[in-house]
Amino acid sequence: MEITVLDIQILKALHREVKEVSNLIAKMTVPYKALQQATKWLDQQEACQLLNVSKRTLQTYRAKGILGATQINRKTYFRLSEVELLMQGERPLKKQKK
Protein backbone atom coordinates (compact mmCIF):
# COMPACT_ATOMS: atom_id res chain seq x y z
CA MET A 1 0.00 0.00 0.00
CA GLU A 2 1.31 3.38 -0.99
CA ILE A 3 0.44 6.63 0.75
CA THR A 4 0.81 9.93 -1.05
CA VAL A 5 0.93 13.16 0.90
CA LEU A 6 0.08 16.46 -0.78
CA ASP A 7 0.83 19.82 0.66
CA ILE A 8 -2.37 21.84 1.19
CA GLN A 9 -0.90 24.74 -0.84
CA ILE A 10 -0.31 22.45 -3.84
CA LEU A 11 -3.84 21.09 -3.55
CA LYS A 12 -5.33 24.60 -3.43
CA ALA A 13 -3.24 25.68 -6.44
CA LEU A 14 -4.42 22.65 -8.39
CA HIS A 15 -8.01 23.40 -7.42
CA ARG A 16 -7.65 27.01 -8.66
CA GLU A 17 -6.20 25.88 -11.99
CA VAL A 18 -8.96 23.35 -12.57
CA LYS A 19 -11.53 26.03 -11.77
CA GLU A 20 -9.88 28.46 -14.23
CA VAL A 21 -9.95 25.84 -16.99
CA SER A 22 -13.60 25.11 -16.23
CA ASN A 23 -14.47 28.82 -16.44
CA LEU A 24 -12.55 29.17 -19.70
CA ILE A 25 -14.44 26.25 -21.25
CA ALA A 26 -17.75 27.73 -20.06
CA LYS A 27 -16.88 31.09 -21.69
CA MET A 28 -15.86 29.42 -24.95
CA THR A 29 -19.08 27.41 -25.25
CA VAL A 30 -21.54 30.24 -24.49
CA PRO A 31 -22.08 31.20 -28.17
CA TYR A 32 -22.94 27.61 -29.08
CA LYS A 33 -25.42 26.94 -26.27
CA ALA A 34 -28.25 28.81 -28.00
CA LEU A 35 -27.61 26.93 -31.24
CA GLN A 36 -27.51 23.61 -29.43
CA GLN A 37 -30.78 24.31 -27.63
CA ALA A 38 -32.46 25.71 -30.75
CA THR A 39 -31.83 22.58 -32.82
CA LYS A 40 -33.62 19.50 -31.52
CA TRP A 41 -32.64 16.27 -33.23
CA LEU A 42 -34.74 13.12 -33.57
CA ASP A 43 -33.47 9.63 -34.25
CA GLN A 44 -35.05 7.44 -36.91
CA GLN A 45 -37.54 5.79 -34.55
CA GLU A 46 -38.77 9.12 -33.14
CA ALA A 47 -39.17 10.58 -36.64
CA CYS A 48 -41.13 7.51 -37.78
CA GLN A 49 -43.46 7.79 -34.79
CA LEU A 50 -44.11 11.50 -35.32
CA LEU A 51 -44.74 11.12 -39.05
CA ASN A 52 -46.58 7.81 -38.60
CA VAL A 53 -44.56 6.19 -41.40
CA SER A 54 -42.35 3.13 -41.69
CA LYS A 55 -38.56 3.20 -41.65
CA ARG A 56 -38.55 2.45 -45.36
CA THR A 57 -40.82 5.42 -46.11
CA LEU A 58 -38.54 7.64 -44.06
CA GLN A 59 -35.59 6.35 -46.11
CA THR A 60 -37.49 7.21 -49.29
CA TYR A 61 -38.06 10.75 -48.00
CA ARG A 62 -34.31 11.05 -47.43
CA ALA A 63 -33.45 9.65 -50.86
CA LYS A 64 -35.86 12.01 -52.66
CA GLY A 65 -34.67 15.03 -50.70
CA ILE A 66 -38.03 15.56 -49.02
CA LEU A 67 -36.50 15.30 -45.57
CA GLY A 68 -32.89 16.13 -44.75
CA ALA A 69 -30.88 14.00 -42.38
CA THR A 70 -27.51 13.88 -40.69
CA GLN A 71 -25.61 10.68 -40.08
CA ILE A 72 -23.26 10.25 -37.11
CA ASN A 73 -21.56 6.89 -36.54
CA ARG A 74 -24.07 4.98 -38.67
CA LYS A 75 -27.01 6.53 -36.82
CA THR A 76 -29.36 8.87 -38.66
CA TYR A 77 -30.80 12.03 -37.10
CA PHE A 78 -33.50 14.40 -38.35
CA ARG A 79 -34.17 18.00 -37.38
CA LEU A 80 -37.41 18.36 -35.45
CA SER A 81 -38.17 21.60 -37.30
CA GLU A 82 -38.01 19.82 -40.69
CA VAL A 83 -40.16 16.94 -39.45
CA GLU A 84 -42.74 19.44 -38.19
CA LEU A 85 -42.78 21.21 -41.57
CA LEU A 86 -43.39 17.88 -43.27
CA MET A 87 -46.19 17.09 -40.81
CA GLN A 88 -47.84 20.44 -41.65
CA GLY A 89 -47.65 19.68 -45.36
CA GLU A 90 -44.96 22.28 -46.02
CA ARG A 91 -42.19 20.20 -47.52
CA PRO A 92 -38.66 21.61 -47.47
CA LEU A 93 -37.19 22.38 -50.88
CA LYS A 94 -35.74 19.42 -52.72
CA LYS A 95 -32.00 19.49 -53.25
CA GLN A 96 -30.87 20.15 -56.79
CA LYS A 97 -28.62 17.45 -58.28
CA LYS A 98 -25.46 18.76 -59.88
Side-chain angles (χ1 to χ4, degrees):
M1 187 161 132
E2 185 177 322
I3 297 176
T4 304
V5 178
L6 288 177
D7 183 20
I8 192 73
Q9 298 301 328
I10 294 172
L11 188 59
K12 285 182 180 180
L14 180 62
H15 184 280
R16 268 194 311 274
E17 288 181 28
V18 169
K19 203 169 200 172
E20 287 175 17
V21 170
S22 176
N23 290 338
L24 182 60
I25 290 171
K27 286 179 185 177
M28 290 172 60
T29 58
V30 165
Y32 304 103
K33 292 219 186 248
L35 178 64
Q36 182 182 11
Q37 292 172 351
T39 306
K40 169 80 170 117
W41 293 91
L42 304 172
D43 64 11
Q44 189 173 13
Q45 183 178 358
E46 292 169 327
C48 285
Q49 288 173 346
L50 278 176
L51 293 169
N52 198 26
V53 296
S54 68
K55 289 182 180 182
R56 182 62 200 141
T57 302
L58 196 62
Q59 175 62 32
T60 302
Y61 288 171
R62 284 181 53 209
K64 290 185 176 182
I66 296 170
L67 186 62
T70 299
Q71 211 166 9
I72 301 172
N73 291 337
R74 294 188 226 158
K75 187 158 181 169
T76 306
Y77 295 95
F78 302 89
R79 282 193 175 106
L80 176 61
S81 57
E82 288 188 19
V83 171
E84 288 173 340
L85 283 174
L86 190 59
M87 288 170 58
Q88 295 168 3
E90 301 174 20
R91 294 183 179 184
L93 296 175
K94 292 185 179 181
K95 293 184 179 178
Q96 298 291 328
K97 292 189 178 183
K98 295 179 181 179

XYZ file of all heavy atoms in Angstrom:
798
model
N 0.846 -1.173 0.000
C 0.000 0.000 0.000
C 0.891 1.236 0.000
O 1.852 1.323 0.740
C -0.875 -0.014 1.248
C -1.889 1.061 1.267
S -3.151 0.606 2.456
C -3.310 2.070 3.365
N 0.508 2.183 -0.864
C 1.306 3.385 -0.994
C 0.504 4.586 -0.505
O -0.665 4.736 -0.823
C 1.688 3.596 -2.464
C 2.617 4.740 -2.675
C 3.002 4.844 -4.146
O 3.192 3.796 -4.790
O 3.100 5.979 -4.633
N 1.104 5.431 0.236
C 0.444 6.628 0.751
C 1.121 7.839 0.128
O 2.345 7.970 0.163
C 0.543 6.706 2.290
C -0.182 5.526 2.903
C -0.026 8.017 2.782
C -0.061 5.450 4.407
N 0.298 8.716 -0.442
C 0.813 9.932 -1.048
C 0.337 11.115 -0.231
O -0.837 11.241 0.082
C 0.300 10.076 -2.492
O 0.658 8.899 -3.213
C 0.894 11.287 -3.174
N 1.257 11.988 0.100
C 0.930 13.158 0.899
C 1.088 14.394 0.017
O 2.113 14.582 -0.622
C 1.858 13.266 2.135
C 1.538 14.515 2.931
C 1.751 12.027 2.990
N 0.040 15.219 -0.021
C 0.084 16.460 -0.776
C 0.048 17.634 0.193
O -0.716 17.632 1.150
C -1.117 16.575 -1.713
C -1.144 15.682 -2.943
C -2.442 15.878 -3.694
C 0.020 15.969 -3.859
N 0.838 18.601 -0.124
C 0.827 19.825 0.656
C -0.481 20.559 0.357
O -0.947 20.591 -0.780
C 2.037 20.681 0.273
C 2.146 21.943 1.104
O 1.551 21.990 2.190
O 2.840 22.871 0.644
N -1.088 21.156 1.354
C -2.365 21.842 1.187
C -2.257 22.979 0.185
O -3.204 23.249 -0.568
C -2.928 22.332 2.553
C -4.389 22.795 2.426
C -2.101 23.470 3.091
C -5.338 21.680 2.268
N -1.104 23.647 0.115
C -0.900 24.744 -0.836
C -0.925 24.214 -2.276
O -1.495 24.843 -3.161
C 0.423 25.462 -0.546
C 0.492 26.111 0.817
C -0.608 27.157 1.017
O -1.029 27.807 0.082
N -1.067 27.286 2.253
N -0.317 23.061 -2.501
C -0.308 22.452 -3.836
C -1.732 22.058 -4.225
O -2.165 22.287 -5.356
C 0.637 21.239 -3.870
C 2.080 21.689 -3.667
C 0.487 20.482 -5.183
C 3.064 20.554 -3.493
N -2.464 21.497 -3.297
C -3.840 21.092 -3.554
C -4.714 22.302 -3.885
O -5.531 22.259 -4.815
C -4.401 20.346 -2.335
C -5.753 19.693 -2.509
C -5.721 18.687 -3.642
C -6.184 19.031 -1.224
N -4.551 23.390 -3.158
C -5.329 24.602 -3.429
C -4.969 25.192 -4.790
O -5.841 25.650 -5.525
C -5.101 25.636 -2.329
C -5.822 25.310 -1.045
C -5.600 26.389 0.008
C -6.336 26.026 1.299
N -6.139 27.047 2.340
N -3.680 25.168 -5.137
C -3.241 25.681 -6.439
C -3.837 24.840 -7.575
O -4.310 25.374 -8.589
C -1.724 25.691 -6.523
N -3.836 23.544 -7.395
C -4.419 22.646 -8.390
C -5.922 22.918 -8.534
O -6.449 22.977 -9.643
C -4.161 21.185 -7.994
C -4.710 20.128 -8.931
C -4.069 20.244 -10.313
C -4.480 18.740 -8.351
N -6.580 23.107 -7.418
C -8.011 23.395 -7.422
C -8.296 24.695 -8.185
O -9.231 24.769 -8.980
C -8.531 23.492 -5.984
C -10.006 23.688 -5.897
N -10.593 24.908 -6.078
C -11.007 22.809 -5.637
C -11.893 24.793 -5.942
N -12.168 23.519 -5.668
N -7.483 25.731 -7.965
C -7.645 27.008 -8.657
C -7.462 26.849 -10.172
O -8.228 27.391 -10.961
C -6.627 28.031 -8.134
C -7.120 28.890 -6.994
C -6.208 30.085 -6.748
N -4.788 29.745 -6.652
C -4.180 29.361 -5.523
N -4.847 29.282 -4.399
N -2.893 29.056 -5.527
N -6.466 26.083 -10.561
C -6.201 25.884 -11.987
C -7.334 25.122 -12.671
O -7.735 25.469 -13.781
C -4.874 25.157 -12.181
C -3.678 26.028 -11.869
C -2.357 25.314 -12.073
O -2.311 24.390 -12.928
O -1.375 25.664 -11.406
N -7.833 24.114 -12.013
C -8.956 23.354 -12.570
C -10.177 24.259 -12.704
O -10.904 24.211 -13.704
C -9.274 22.110 -11.703
C -10.584 21.478 -12.111
C -8.144 21.093 -11.791
N -10.410 25.106 -11.724
C -11.535 26.034 -11.771
C -11.366 27.032 -12.917
O -12.336 27.352 -13.613
C -11.647 26.763 -10.433
C -13.001 27.300 -10.152
C -13.097 27.772 -8.715
C -14.557 27.828 -8.336
N -14.771 28.090 -6.946
N -10.146 27.531 -13.136
C -9.876 28.459 -14.231
C -10.147 27.805 -15.582
O -10.745 28.414 -16.470
C -8.440 28.963 -14.169
C -8.174 29.951 -13.059
C -6.700 30.336 -12.959
O -5.945 30.095 -13.925
O -6.320 30.877 -11.906
N -9.715 26.566 -15.743
C -9.952 25.842 -16.992
C -11.447 25.641 -17.195
O -11.980 25.818 -18.298
C -9.192 24.494 -17.003
C -9.624 23.640 -18.177
C -7.694 24.729 -17.048
N -12.148 25.302 -16.146
C -13.595 25.115 -16.228
C -14.292 26.405 -16.643
O -15.188 26.393 -17.496
C -14.123 24.641 -14.877
O -15.514 24.534 -14.891
N -13.890 27.525 -16.072
C -14.475 28.819 -16.436
C -14.161 29.178 -17.887
O -15.014 29.718 -18.593
C -13.978 29.920 -15.501
C -14.539 29.795 -14.110
O -15.575 29.177 -13.890
N -13.846 30.369 -13.137
N -12.947 28.890 -18.323
C -12.552 29.170 -19.705
C -13.395 28.356 -20.682
O -13.877 28.886 -21.687
C -11.059 28.862 -19.895
C -10.478 29.155 -21.270
C -10.617 30.632 -21.619
C -9.024 28.736 -21.321
N -13.607 27.098 -20.388
C -14.443 26.248 -21.245
C -15.876 26.776 -21.272
O -16.512 26.825 -22.324
C -14.396 24.783 -20.766
C -13.017 24.192 -21.039
C -15.481 23.948 -21.445
C -12.782 22.830 -20.428
N -16.392 27.180 -20.124
C -17.753 27.731 -20.060
C -17.871 28.985 -20.925
O -18.858 29.152 -21.660
C -18.125 28.034 -18.619
N -16.864 29.867 -20.883
C -16.884 31.089 -21.691
C -16.820 30.772 -23.183
O -17.467 31.420 -23.998
C -15.727 32.002 -21.321
C -15.893 32.707 -20.000
C -14.683 33.571 -19.682
C -14.789 34.176 -18.296
N -13.587 34.951 -17.941
N -16.021 29.773 -23.539
C -15.857 29.415 -24.948
C -17.117 28.796 -25.539
O -17.374 28.930 -26.732
C -14.687 28.448 -25.113
C -13.338 29.091 -24.872
S -11.982 27.898 -24.857
C -12.093 27.188 -26.475
N -17.906 28.112 -24.738
C -19.077 27.406 -25.254
C -20.365 28.217 -25.198
O -21.378 27.780 -25.715
C -19.281 26.083 -24.493
O -19.426 26.353 -23.095
C -18.125 25.135 -24.722
N -20.333 29.406 -24.604
C -21.540 30.238 -24.492
C -22.180 30.517 -25.849
O -23.394 30.367 -25.995
C -21.240 31.549 -23.730
C -22.343 32.563 -23.903
C -21.026 31.258 -22.264
N -21.425 30.903 -26.891
C -22.075 31.200 -28.173
C -22.785 29.996 -28.796
O -23.707 30.159 -29.580
C -20.921 31.649 -29.076
C -19.819 32.018 -28.157
C -20.003 31.193 -26.930
N -22.380 28.811 -28.452
C -22.941 27.615 -29.077
C -24.123 27.034 -28.300
O -24.833 26.187 -28.811
C -21.853 26.550 -29.242
C -20.672 27.058 -30.015
C -19.496 27.417 -29.379
C -20.749 27.222 -31.390
C -18.421 27.904 -30.092
C -19.680 27.714 -32.116
C -18.518 28.049 -31.458
O -17.455 28.537 -32.172
N -24.328 27.479 -27.083
C -25.416 26.935 -26.266
C -26.770 27.228 -26.887
O -27.641 26.371 -26.916
C -25.344 27.474 -24.844
C -24.149 26.957 -24.090
C -24.492 26.650 -22.673
C -23.221 26.289 -21.934
N -23.179 24.937 -21.538
N -26.969 28.446 -27.388
C -28.249 28.807 -27.998
C -28.506 27.957 -29.238
O -29.619 27.480 -29.449
C -28.264 30.279 -28.357
N -27.477 27.755 -30.046
C -27.611 26.925 -31.240
C -27.939 25.494 -30.872
O -28.802 24.861 -31.479
C -26.323 26.972 -32.066
C -26.285 26.120 -33.312
C -27.337 26.603 -34.306
C -24.910 26.162 -33.934
N -27.281 24.983 -29.863
C -27.511 23.615 -29.428
C -28.937 23.444 -28.916
O -29.591 22.443 -29.187
C -26.513 23.251 -28.337
C -26.641 21.830 -27.842
C -25.663 21.538 -26.712
O -25.041 22.437 -26.165
N -25.553 20.283 -26.366
N -29.443 24.403 -28.174
C -30.783 24.309 -27.632
C -31.840 24.568 -28.695
O -32.943 24.052 -28.612
C -30.946 25.285 -26.469
C -30.125 24.887 -25.267
C -30.134 25.939 -24.178
O -30.622 27.039 -24.370
N -29.574 25.595 -23.034
N -31.503 25.380 -29.707
C -32.465 25.714 -30.753
C -32.706 24.537 -31.698
O -33.786 24.406 -32.261
C -31.985 26.910 -31.546
N -31.717 23.702 -31.898
C -31.832 22.583 -32.824
C -32.069 21.293 -32.055
O -31.181 20.791 -31.388
C -30.556 22.443 -33.681
O -30.297 23.675 -34.310
C -30.710 21.365 -34.719
N -33.279 20.775 -32.163
C -33.625 19.501 -31.523
C -33.536 18.427 -32.593
O -34.042 18.587 -33.695
C -35.045 19.599 -30.954
C -35.633 18.294 -30.499
C -35.132 17.902 -29.134
C -35.945 16.712 -28.638
N -35.213 15.536 -28.427
N -32.837 17.350 -32.276
C -32.639 16.271 -33.229
C -33.449 15.048 -32.820
O -33.569 14.737 -31.639
C -31.158 15.903 -33.309
C -30.329 16.995 -33.888
C -29.706 17.995 -33.212
C -30.046 17.210 -35.262
N -29.050 18.820 -34.083
C -29.236 18.362 -35.341
C -30.395 16.552 -36.429
C -28.777 18.862 -36.562
C -29.927 17.045 -37.630
C -29.132 18.185 -37.688
N -33.974 14.344 -33.797
C -34.735 13.118 -33.574
C -33.996 11.960 -34.223
O -33.428 12.110 -35.309
C -36.120 13.223 -34.218
C -36.997 14.394 -33.814
C -38.237 14.425 -34.696
C -37.381 14.284 -32.357
N -34.035 10.803 -33.585
C -33.472 9.633 -34.245
C -34.533 9.058 -35.189
O -35.652 9.559 -35.277
C -32.954 8.604 -33.234
C -34.045 8.000 -32.362
O -35.235 8.198 -32.647
O -33.691 7.326 -31.377
N -34.173 8.000 -35.886
C -35.053 7.437 -36.906
C -36.383 6.958 -36.315
O -37.446 7.199 -36.883
C -34.341 6.277 -37.607
C -35.072 5.759 -38.809
C -34.263 4.729 -39.558
O -33.271 4.229 -39.075
N -34.684 4.407 -40.755
N -36.330 6.316 -35.171
C -37.543 5.794 -34.548
C -38.493 6.928 -34.144
O -39.700 6.862 -34.380
C -37.186 4.951 -33.330
C -38.387 4.324 -32.669
C -37.998 3.451 -31.484
O -36.826 3.298 -31.182
N -38.983 2.888 -30.822
N -37.938 7.990 -33.555
C -38.774 9.121 -33.142
C -39.417 9.809 -34.354
O -40.592 10.180 -34.316
C -37.936 10.134 -32.363
C -37.458 9.629 -31.018
C -36.419 10.544 -30.389
O -35.626 11.166 -31.124
O -36.407 10.627 -29.156
N -38.643 9.958 -35.433
C -39.175 10.583 -36.645
C -40.291 9.729 -37.250
O -41.324 10.258 -37.667
C -38.061 10.803 -37.663
N -40.097 8.415 -37.268
C -41.134 7.511 -37.781
C -42.412 7.634 -36.969
O -43.518 7.662 -37.522
C -40.644 6.059 -37.746
S -39.463 5.641 -39.031
N -42.281 7.693 -35.658
C -43.461 7.788 -34.792
C -44.192 9.108 -35.009
O -45.429 9.130 -35.081
C -43.060 7.646 -33.324
C -42.649 6.244 -32.953
C -42.102 6.138 -31.544
O -41.781 7.134 -30.907
N -41.971 4.911 -31.060
N -43.463 10.208 -35.117
C -44.111 11.498 -35.322
C -44.820 11.581 -36.671
O -45.927 12.106 -36.769
C -43.098 12.635 -35.222
C -42.744 13.110 -33.830
C -41.661 14.174 -33.887
C -43.956 13.676 -33.119
N -44.169 11.062 -37.710
C -44.739 11.120 -39.052
C -45.727 9.990 -39.319
O -46.437 10.016 -40.320
C -43.622 11.076 -40.099
C -42.701 12.291 -40.141
C -41.497 12.021 -41.014
C -43.464 13.512 -40.637
N -45.731 9.001 -38.446
C -46.584 7.813 -38.601
C -46.296 7.106 -39.930
O -47.206 6.798 -40.704
C -48.061 8.183 -38.479
C -48.922 6.966 -38.205
O -48.452 5.980 -37.651
N -50.183 7.032 -38.594
N -45.000 6.890 -40.189
C -44.564 6.188 -41.396
C -43.581 5.089 -40.996
O -43.074 5.075 -39.877
C -43.880 7.147 -42.409
C -44.849 8.193 -42.908
C -42.653 7.805 -41.823
N -43.304 4.203 -41.941
C -42.348 3.129 -41.688
C -40.921 3.642 -41.882
O -40.702 4.729 -42.429
C -42.604 1.973 -42.652
O -42.283 2.366 -43.976
N -39.962 2.828 -41.466
C -38.556 3.198 -41.651
C -38.220 3.302 -43.129
O -37.427 4.143 -43.543
C -37.647 2.178 -40.968
C -37.683 2.252 -39.467
C -36.730 1.245 -38.851
C -36.761 1.326 -37.335
N -35.815 0.388 -36.723
N -38.815 2.436 -43.926
C -38.549 2.452 -45.361
C -39.085 3.736 -46.004
O -38.439 4.326 -46.865
C -39.176 1.220 -46.028
C -38.909 1.133 -47.500
C -37.415 1.024 -47.778
N -37.161 1.405 -49.151
C -36.120 2.110 -49.560
N -35.206 2.486 -48.718
N -35.985 2.424 -50.804
N -40.260 4.181 -45.586
C -40.822 5.425 -46.110
C -39.937 6.601 -45.728
O -39.681 7.497 -46.536
C -42.247 5.644 -45.585
O -43.048 4.526 -45.966
C -42.859 6.915 -46.128
N -39.449 6.587 -44.510
C -38.545 7.636 -44.056
C -37.272 7.648 -44.905
O -36.766 8.704 -45.273
C -38.211 7.429 -42.578
C -37.600 8.598 -41.842
C -38.534 9.797 -41.818
C -37.251 8.196 -40.425
N -36.769 6.462 -45.243
C -35.589 6.346 -46.106
C -35.888 6.903 -47.500
O -35.049 7.576 -48.102
C -35.153 4.880 -46.205
C -34.022 4.627 -47.172
C -32.737 5.340 -46.786
O -32.450 5.538 -45.625
N -31.971 5.762 -47.781
N -37.089 6.672 -47.992
C -37.486 7.207 -49.292
C -37.525 8.733 -49.252
O -37.085 9.404 -50.183
C -38.868 6.655 -49.703
O -38.795 5.225 -49.746
C -39.301 7.178 -51.059
N -38.049 9.290 -48.161
C -38.062 10.748 -47.997
C -36.646 11.305 -48.045
O -36.400 12.339 -48.641
C -38.711 11.138 -46.669
C -40.207 10.950 -46.584
C -40.861 11.095 -45.374
C -40.977 10.633 -47.699
C -42.227 10.925 -45.267
C -42.345 10.450 -47.602
C -42.967 10.615 -46.384
O -44.324 10.444 -46.293
N -35.715 10.614 -47.414
C -34.310 11.045 -47.434
C -33.751 10.979 -48.845
O -33.093 11.907 -49.311
C -33.453 10.163 -46.524
C -33.613 10.435 -45.067
C -32.723 9.546 -44.235
N -31.338 9.637 -44.670
C -30.445 8.668 -44.566
N -30.773 7.508 -44.039
N -29.211 8.834 -44.968
N -34.002 9.862 -49.524
C -33.449 9.652 -50.863
C -33.986 10.674 -51.866
O -33.250 11.124 -52.753
C -33.763 8.237 -51.335
N -35.252 11.052 -51.742
C -35.864 12.009 -52.664
C -35.597 13.456 -52.273
O -35.983 14.366 -52.980
C -37.371 11.765 -52.745
C -37.728 10.487 -53.455
C -39.216 10.351 -53.604
C -39.555 9.110 -54.412
N -40.999 8.962 -54.617
N -34.968 13.666 -51.130
C -34.669 15.025 -50.700
C -35.830 15.729 -50.023
O -35.802 16.931 -49.815
N -36.868 14.973 -49.689
C -38.030 15.555 -49.020
C -37.695 15.913 -47.582
O -38.161 16.920 -47.054
C -39.222 14.570 -49.070
C -39.641 14.355 -50.523
C -40.383 15.070 -48.233
C -40.638 13.236 -50.716
N -36.866 15.096 -46.962
C -36.496 15.301 -45.566
C -34.980 15.147 -45.426
O -34.425 14.115 -45.783
C -37.215 14.270 -44.680
C -37.069 14.412 -43.183
C -37.641 15.744 -42.710
C -37.790 13.284 -42.470
N -34.334 16.178 -44.937
C -32.893 16.133 -44.754
C -32.522 15.341 -43.511
O -33.319 15.215 -42.579
N -31.338 14.800 -43.511
C -30.881 13.997 -42.379
C -29.377 14.168 -42.207
O -28.669 14.561 -43.130
C -31.215 12.532 -42.604
N -28.936 13.857 -41.003
C -27.513 13.876 -40.687
C -27.153 12.522 -40.111
O -27.884 11.985 -39.290
C -27.208 14.981 -39.656
O -27.563 16.235 -40.231
C -25.748 14.994 -39.277
N -26.026 11.989 -40.541
C -25.607 10.680 -40.076
C -24.349 10.815 -39.222
O -23.377 11.431 -39.632
C -25.336 9.760 -41.256
C -25.626 8.331 -40.963
C -25.669 7.496 -42.234
O -25.319 7.965 -43.303
N -26.075 6.267 -42.104
N -24.404 10.252 -38.022
C -23.263 10.249 -37.113
C -23.058 8.814 -36.635
O -23.954 8.234 -36.021
C -23.503 11.176 -35.905
C -23.759 12.606 -36.373
C -22.319 11.124 -34.946
C -24.183 13.553 -35.292
N -21.893 8.267 -36.934
C -21.559 6.891 -36.537
C -22.659 5.895 -36.895
O -23.164 5.170 -36.061
C -21.271 6.817 -35.038
C -19.999 7.518 -34.670
O -19.122 7.705 -35.505
N -19.881 7.916 -33.424
N -23.064 5.900 -38.143
C -24.067 4.981 -38.670
C -25.469 5.192 -38.103
O -26.353 4.369 -38.308
C -23.654 3.520 -38.470
C -22.440 3.138 -39.260
C -22.232 1.656 -39.164
N -20.838 1.418 -38.880
C -20.373 0.320 -38.343
N -21.191 -0.635 -38.014
N -19.103 0.186 -38.128
N -25.680 6.239 -37.352
C -27.007 6.531 -36.824
C -27.518 7.800 -37.502
O -26.787 8.771 -37.641
C -26.968 6.708 -35.311
C -28.341 6.831 -34.720
C -28.370 6.477 -33.267
C -29.805 6.620 -32.791
N -30.043 6.085 -31.511
N -28.777 7.778 -37.907
C -29.361 8.869 -38.659
C -30.207 9.747 -37.743
O -30.993 9.242 -36.942
C -30.240 8.323 -39.797
O -29.446 7.427 -40.584
C -30.747 9.432 -40.687
N -30.049 11.062 -37.895
C -30.804 12.026 -37.103
C -31.521 13.003 -38.027
O -31.022 13.348 -39.091
C -29.877 12.811 -36.168
C -29.243 11.956 -35.119
C -27.973 11.419 -35.319
C -29.901 11.656 -33.935
C -27.381 10.614 -34.359
C -29.320 10.858 -32.971
C -28.057 10.341 -33.189
O -27.483 9.540 -32.246
N -32.686 13.459 -37.591
C -33.505 14.395 -38.349
C -33.795 15.616 -37.490
O -34.015 15.488 -36.284
C -34.828 13.733 -38.753
C -34.648 12.492 -39.558
C -34.514 11.257 -38.944
C -34.605 12.543 -40.945
C -34.340 10.103 -39.678
C -34.434 11.393 -41.689
C -34.293 10.172 -41.056
N -33.825 16.782 -38.113
C -34.173 18.003 -37.378
C -35.664 17.998 -37.083
O -36.481 17.758 -37.971
C -33.834 19.236 -38.196
C -32.393 19.594 -38.188
C -32.209 21.005 -38.753
N -30.834 21.394 -38.638
C -29.988 21.453 -39.653
N -30.404 21.180 -40.862
N -28.739 21.803 -39.452
N -36.009 18.298 -35.844
C -37.412 18.358 -35.450
C -38.148 19.400 -36.269
O -39.288 19.177 -36.700
C -37.533 18.668 -33.951
C -38.951 18.851 -33.412
C -39.777 17.593 -33.605
C -38.921 19.242 -31.944
N -37.514 20.528 -36.536
C -38.171 21.597 -37.300
C -38.553 21.124 -38.704
O -39.643 21.436 -39.196
C -37.274 22.829 -37.379
O -36.028 22.498 -37.966
N -37.698 20.330 -39.358
C -38.010 19.819 -40.695
C -39.121 18.785 -40.644
O -39.980 18.740 -41.519
C -36.759 19.222 -41.345
C -35.757 20.263 -41.776
C -34.609 19.673 -42.580
O -34.752 18.550 -43.111
O -33.569 20.338 -42.670
N -39.110 17.940 -39.614
C -40.159 16.936 -39.455
C -41.502 17.634 -39.228
O -42.528 17.239 -39.803
C -39.832 15.964 -38.296
C -41.006 15.057 -37.994
C -38.596 15.136 -38.627
N -41.506 18.699 -38.432
C -42.745 19.442 -38.185
C -43.266 20.091 -39.461
O -44.478 20.101 -39.710
C -42.527 20.490 -37.096
C -42.391 19.887 -35.714
C -42.011 20.898 -34.652
O -41.486 21.993 -35.001
O -42.229 20.599 -33.467
N -42.353 20.644 -40.290
C -42.780 21.213 -41.567
C -43.425 20.152 -42.451
O -44.437 20.408 -43.104
C -41.591 21.831 -42.306
C -41.107 23.178 -41.814
C -39.837 23.582 -42.556
C -42.176 24.232 -41.990
N -42.848 18.969 -42.472
C -43.390 17.879 -43.270
C -44.755 17.457 -42.737
O -45.666 17.177 -43.509
C -42.415 16.697 -43.266
C -42.706 15.568 -44.241
C -42.732 16.083 -45.676
C -41.664 14.483 -44.102
N -44.901 17.455 -41.421
C -46.194 17.091 -40.812
C -47.277 18.115 -41.171
O -48.447 17.759 -41.316
C -46.048 17.003 -39.287
C -45.269 15.807 -38.824
S -44.842 15.851 -37.072
C -46.421 15.980 -36.294
N -46.890 19.381 -41.316
C -47.844 20.439 -41.646
C -48.136 20.510 -43.141
O -48.958 21.296 -43.584
C -47.310 21.798 -41.181
C -47.175 21.906 -39.690
C -46.387 23.136 -39.271
O -45.978 23.935 -40.102
N -46.167 23.281 -37.986
N -47.440 19.691 -43.919
C -47.648 19.683 -45.359
C -46.751 20.652 -46.097
O -46.840 20.793 -47.310
N -45.897 21.348 -45.400
C -44.961 22.281 -46.024
C -43.622 21.575 -46.180
O -42.793 21.596 -45.289
C -44.790 23.520 -45.164
C -46.062 24.272 -44.915
C -45.864 25.402 -43.937
O -44.709 25.835 -43.757
O -46.861 25.837 -43.355
N -43.421 20.956 -47.304
C -42.188 20.201 -47.519
C -41.015 21.137 -47.744
O -41.142 22.127 -48.449
C -42.324 19.283 -48.728
C -43.337 18.214 -48.515
C -43.371 17.313 -49.693
N -44.342 16.259 -49.446
C -44.548 15.270 -50.263
N -43.885 15.181 -51.371
N -45.432 14.347 -49.957
N -39.871 20.815 -47.170
C -38.665 21.610 -47.467
C -38.300 21.466 -48.935
O -38.680 20.486 -49.595
C -37.592 20.967 -46.586
C -38.340 20.196 -45.569
C -39.635 19.789 -46.188
N -37.582 22.423 -49.481
C -37.189 22.376 -50.880
C -36.325 21.165 -51.166
O -35.465 20.809 -50.366
C -36.417 23.645 -51.253
C -37.202 24.944 -51.177
C -36.268 26.115 -51.450
C -38.340 24.950 -52.169
N -36.568 20.551 -52.313
C -35.739 19.421 -52.721
C -34.365 19.922 -53.132
O -34.230 21.002 -53.702
C -36.379 18.658 -53.879
C -37.630 17.941 -53.505
C -38.137 17.126 -54.651
C -39.389 16.385 -54.264
N -39.884 15.555 -55.363
N -33.363 19.128 -52.876
C -32.002 19.494 -53.250
C -31.828 19.296 -54.755
O -32.289 18.309 -55.320
C -30.994 18.643 -52.489
C -31.000 18.929 -51.007
C -29.941 18.136 -50.321
C -29.958 18.452 -48.822
N -28.990 17.683 -48.095
N -31.156 20.240 -55.366
C -30.872 20.153 -56.794
C -29.646 19.262 -57.020
O -28.633 19.455 -56.400
C -30.602 21.546 -57.371
C -31.782 22.495 -57.245
C -32.933 22.097 -58.120
O -32.720 21.542 -59.208
N -34.143 22.335 -57.679
N -29.768 18.314 -57.940
C -28.621 17.453 -58.281
C -27.736 18.198 -59.250
O -28.184 18.882 -60.149
C -29.099 16.141 -58.879
C -29.811 15.284 -57.873
C -30.067 13.911 -58.419
C -30.737 13.061 -57.350
N -30.949 11.711 -57.801
N -26.433 18.058 -59.039
C -25.461 18.756 -59.884
C -25.172 17.972 -61.130
O -25.178 16.821 -61.211
C -24.167 19.001 -59.110
C -24.383 19.937 -57.973
C -23.091 20.150 -57.209
C -23.311 21.082 -56.041
N -22.128 21.287 -55.273
